[in-house]
Amino acid sequence: DAGVTQSPTHLIKTRGQQVTLRCSPKSGHDTVSWYQQALGQGPQFIFQYYEEEERQRGNFPDRFSGHQFPNYSSELNVNALLLGDSALYLCASSLGTGGEADTQYFGPGTRLTVL
Amino acid sequence: AQRVTQPEKLLSVFKGAPVELKCNYSYSGSPELFWYVQYSRQRLQLLLRHISRESIKGFTADLNKGETSFHLKKPFAQEEDSAMYYCARGGNFNKFYFGSGTKLNVKP
């Protein structure tokens, strides 16, 4: 099991463009959460997908949207990119049931640079 | 609102010295608290969670509801403990709130 995988590793975009980031969860996991980590900061929760629906959302504008597929993989879409969207985007997977299963497993992240 | 606070950005100790990484949280109920660690060039990974009450790599953390703290401690630091440490509070359905992290540097 490769664990949580994310693609691409790095991405450079210009202001106003749109970007799609991808995540495959750890085998057996059905829940995917996305985080934004700015330089020198801890991860900030964007949203979480479970059963192909957005279950929880953090304090991020509607420019940030996502999708979860039947195989539990997920995409994060960001529209109308701003310079401030430059960050490391982390995906984490877990089981949606609770208890010990709540441990989140993180991917290596996608580094997005907006010029 | 600040939900998890890690007051130290950098903590430097000598090998063999005790180490304590501070974490304070804001929550009115019974929180689920975690420590995550990121070693150089590795991904973020769970170190320990308070509900398990276990010691991982010699680290322990005690939940103090009165002081709303969840400090991470180790009696004798090792060089391989050098890493970035994040305290996190769990919310509904795994909506995590992370602190800004403390970089631990263990000097030989």
Side-chain angles (χ1 to χ4, degrees):
Chain A
D1 180 17
V4 180
T5 60
Q6 292 185 244
S7 63
T9 306
H10 297 90
L11 206 50
I12 299 175
K13 292 285 188 178
T14 56
R15 280 180 298 173
Q17 284 189 312
Q18 178 264 344
V19 69
T20 297
L21 310 182
R22 295 176 176 82
C23 171
S24 290
K26 182 179 169 64
S27 177
H29 284 182
D30 58 5
T31 302
V32 172
S33 301
W34 287 92
Y35 293 82
Q36 181 194 66
Q37 186 174 20
L39 201 61
Q41 300 296 317
Q44 299 290 312
F45 179 82
I46 302 174
F47 44 51
Q48 181 186 90
Y49 277 84
Y50 172 70
E51 292 189 341
E52 301 181 51
E53 290 195 0
E54 184 182 291
R55 180 162 70 174
Q56 286 278 332
R57 189 177 183 91
N59 189 26
F60 278 81
D62 292 344
R63 297 188 297 109
F64 290 76
S65 63
H67 188 76
Q68 186 178 35
F69 299 93
N71 67 353
Y72 307 122
S73 66
S74 177
E75 289 182 348
L76 163 65
N77 301 294
V78 187
N79 294 323
L81 284 167
L82 304 173
L83 295 179
D85 295 332
S86 296
L88 181 69
Y89 288 84
L90 295 170
C91 170
S93 74
S94 57
L95 276 173
T97 51
E100 287 297 318
D102 286 343
T103 298
Q104 297 210 11
Y105 292 80
F106 282 84
T110 293
R111 172 74 62 188
L112 173 63
T113 302
V114 182
L115 302 176
Chain B
Q2 189 77 9
R3 294 177 174 90
V4 179
T5 304
Q6 294 180 252
E8 304 139 328
K9 281 199 172 297
L10 173 65
L11 185 63
S12 288
V13 301
F14 284 102
K15 176 183 172 182
V19 62
E20 180 179 70
L21 293 98
K22 292 183 168 53
C23 171
N24 288 90
Y25 65 91
S26 58
Y27 190 68
S28 58
S30 295
E32 289 192 40
L33 291 158
F34 305 79
W35 276 99
Y36 277 80
V37 61
Q38 188 167 26
Y39 300 102
S40 179
R41 297 198 174 114
Q42 293 187 27
R43 61 186 66 187
L44 202 57
Q45 58 185 289
L46 178 69
L47 179 62
L48 57 80
R49 53 189 299 173
H50 92 274
I51 198 170
S52 301
R53 294 184 170 275
E54 55 191 346
S55 172
I56 305 295
K57 298 184 179 181
F59 284 98
T60 59
D62 290 321
L63 176 60
N64 186 323
K65 290 186 179 180
E67 296 182 356
T68 60
S69 68
F70 188 56
H71 302 329
L72 184 68
K73 300 177 184 179
K74 185 170 183 177
F76 308 103
Q78 303 299 314
E79 288 181 68
E80 55 265 30
D81 296 329
S82 294
M84 198 74 188
Y85 291 81
Y86 294 94
C87 181
R89 177 172 76 72
N92 291 334
F93 298 110
N94 292 335
K95 182 179 179 179
F96 276 48
Y97 301 95
F98 283 83
S100 56
T102 298
K103 184 174 182 179
L104 175 63
N105 180 32
V106 181
K107 297 176 284 188

